Amino acid sequence: MLKGIAASQGIAIAKVYKLVSPTLDIQKKDAVAEEELAKLDAAFKKTVSDIEKIKEVASKSLKEEELAIFDAHLMMANDPEFRGMIEAEITNNNVNAEYAADSVSTMMVSMFESMDDEYMRGRAADIRDVTFRLECNLTGKVIPNLATLDEPVVIVAKDLTPSDTGSLNKEFAKGFATELGGRTSHSAIMARSLEIPAVVGCKGVLDELNNGDTVVLDAINGEVILNPSEEEVAKYTKMAEDYAAEKAALQALKDQKTVSTDGHKVLLVGNIGSPADVAGVNENGGEGVGLFRTEFLYMKSENDFPNEETQFAAYKEVLEGMNGKPVVIRTLDIGGDKKLNYYQFPEEMNPFLGVRAVRFCLMRKDIFRTQLRALLRASAYGHLCIMFPMIATVGEFKEAKQVYDEERAKLIAEGVAVGEDVEVGCMIEIPAAAVLADQLAKYADFFSIGTNDLIQYSMAADRMSEPVSYLYQPMNPSILRLVKMTIDGAHKNGKWCGMCGEMAGDELAAPVLLGLGLDEFSMSATSILKARKIINNISYEDMKKLAEEAVACDTAEEVTELVKKAVA
Ligand code: PEP
Ligand code: MG
């Protein structure tokens, strides 16, 4: 049995599917041209049929414009000129087909990359992708592809990129186990929003498991059991049924308000990564959206930053899907571990401390303005709250707000409809901002505390680092004091304060956060009903006393004990 971190609850029993990209070692060899031409012909045919198959499966979950990438790849794989150049290389030099393909592709990639036209530069990536597939087919290597899954599996990988998690088909992807990652890594966050069980930070999982092994993924206790016995399968099947029954019972709370036993109301809202996640928030009784991570729109875009129309359509879809309930959309938070295919970030020693989020947007106001225009146009379709991530100073907030005000004024002058009640808030995820919250609250309409980053920066512990993950301590009194300062700062100025970091959905933290006066809790959709059950059964006045005691504790362990005793 392997131990990891239960990042998204649930149980799965299925075959292992390892997601490991093959490595190619292509050497030049003397070869007989006819034989190589025959190999090349077969490999091109397989490459075309692979791409067609992937496209067919993907067409069930992706939109028309997202499928365009497969058409570009098919065009490349069917391009007689590309193929002719490889054939000429084989016949002229009597070399092996994979070497010929590699040299033609290297030459074409550098030619496309040096072009002025943005679109043509983007084609270099297509050539690379298609050639990689062709070379794998020539050398008998298999490229795993999540879009082509056609039986239930547990995916095993070193880590999953946001685009991997984006192409997961829930019908067959029953869960995943990764070597890397923690509760707040992006693959974990995506697993929760997709409601797929996940165990992350599971050391040895890639070495110990082989394709086709049967495995139990116990993403309640963070365990992976290889080749389970019949008794173990029976035990975990029962556990999965109990878990499903508990989830079903919680459905009774779906249309209820979130209100403590003594009448104190709060909002429980959902974190989403794309418009498709709105359905999950509604199905789980969410009272709004507390965080739309818009960076996924940018990461999914293939060749360039998404344009205003694409963004407008996505934001409008979310606002309409929430039907007048509040929707908090965060402006672009890129950088750190979140990269873009089409943009080169500066090399930095510590990217998490460098050009990230609002810092990037203030340096590239053209990109920022496009997003703000799209957001403002969408604001006519619901109750929109916009927030800026990674604000460290009052100056940064004012500068970002100034750009917002300018774009709003321009749109109004153009006669474009914008919402009357748009709120502009500030994420509190840097300790400096938490300490100065009472000042920041004079300018922001609301706060949302991003504890994933607030904890990483307060503890000086990289959220991606497994060895220092013990410092991810939401219940440490130091963190609770920063949370308290932020909430008090907001309330002193008549503003509301939410939380959208993972701590907001932490069952043990909920009573303390209620007692500290948090107004809005934003979490993965699947955590909402459980949180409602907890809050609807405790008293606000009691939790206020509990919170007072908690901030006066020495350690996270003491706080945890205190809460357990108080809500037992
Ligand atoms: C956070 O830092 O808590 C947060 C919500 O933002 P992200 O996890 O996307 O950095
Ligand atoms: Mg953050």
Side-chain angles (χ1 to χ4, degrees), residues 402-420:
Q402 166 78 22
V403 182
Y404 165 87
D405 287 337
E406 285 166 14
E407 289 310 315
R408 185 182 167 87
K410 274 192 228 162
L411 282 168
I412 292 172
E414 287 165 29
V416 177
V418 297
E420 289 292 315

Side-chain angles (χ1 to χ4, degrees), residues 80-345:
E81 212 174 314
F82 176 52
R83 182 172 171 153
M85 285 162 78
I86 303 174
E87 286 171 345
E89 180 78 16
I90 294 174
T91 24
N92 294 343
N93 301 320
N94 289 318
V95 289
N96 47 327
E98 55 273 23
Y99 177 78
D102 212 51
S103 18
V104 168
S105 142
T106 309
M107 186 267 293
M108 285 181 70
V109 164
S110 64
M111 187 177 85
F112 275 90
E113 274 179 343
S114 63
M115 290 186 181
D116 286 338
D117 185 274
E118 183 92 31
Y119 175 81
M120 295 310 273
R121 275 204 307 278
R123 303 281 62 80
D126 296 342
I127 300 170
R128 247 191 244 111
D129 282 6
V130 171
T131 311
F132 183 65
R133 185 169 294 284
L134 181 71
E135 289 170 358
C136 284
N137 286 334
L138 280 166
T139 51
K141 301 249 166 102
V142 179
I143 308 178
N145 190 302
L146 298 178
T148 55
L149 290 177
D150 54 6
E151 62 168 344
V153 293
V154 167
I155 294 155
V156 174
K158 184 152 192 193
D159 198 6
L160 293 180
T161 64
S163 67
D164 290 332
T165 42
S167 60
L168 286 182
N169 174 350
K170 276 173 67 175
E171 193 183 342
F172 301 119
K174 294 297 169 197
F176 67 74
T178 59
E179 290 263 345
L180 301 182
R183 256 198 75 76
T184 60
S185 62
H186 286 95
S187 52
I189 290 168
M190 280 299 273
R192 286 192 287 280
S193 71
L194 289 163
E195 302 186 26
I196 295 179
V199 174
V200 300
C202 190
K203 279 205 206 95
V205 80
L206 261 183
D207 289 341
E208 304 272 330
L209 306 188
N210 291 309
N211 276 328
D213 284 344
T214 298
V215 82
V216 170
L217 184 79
D218 172 0
I220 294 173
N221 298 304
E223 291 171 0
V224 177
I225 297 105
L226 174 62
N227 292 327
S229 64
E230 264 178 42
E231 294 82 67
E232 282 174 322
V233 170
K235 173 183 149 192
Y236 285 103
T237 308
K238 167 91 177 49
M239 243 170 105
E241 285 163 5
D242 291 349
Y243 181 71
E246 189 194 339
K247 264 182 91 171
L250 284 171
Q251 279 296 316
L253 299 176
K254 189 178 152 206
D255 298 317
Q256 289 193 13
K257 293 262 170 278
T258 317
V259 49
S260 67
T261 50
D262 48 354
H264 179 75
K265 252 195 226 149
V266 292
L267 276 193
L268 292 190
V269 295
N271 288 350
I272 63 169
S274 81
D277 299 338
V278 165
V281 175
N282 284 322
E283 281 157 21
N284 284 287
E287 297 164 89
V289 165
L291 167 65
F292 176 9
R293 290 183 161 94
T294 57
E295 64 269 20
F296 290 108
L297 266 179
Y298 290 72
M299 288 194 278
K300 255 169 72 180
S301 188
E302 287 287 336
N303 296 321
D304 203 351
F305 288 90
N307 63 23
E308 187 181 316
E309 284 313 307
T310 307
Q311 294 192 53
F312 165 69
Y315 305 149
K316 176 170 174 269
E317 192 179 338
V318 172
L319 283 156
E320 287 184 334
M322 291 313 297
N323 215 358
K325 291 177 185 164
V327 171
V328 182
I329 302 187
R330 168 172 85 181
T331 57
L332 180 60
D333 182 354
I334 205 76
D337 63 328
K338 291 176 277 190
K339 302 272 185 280
L340 300 171
N341 287 332
Y342 47 84
Y343 183 85
Q344 192 61 45
F345 283 89

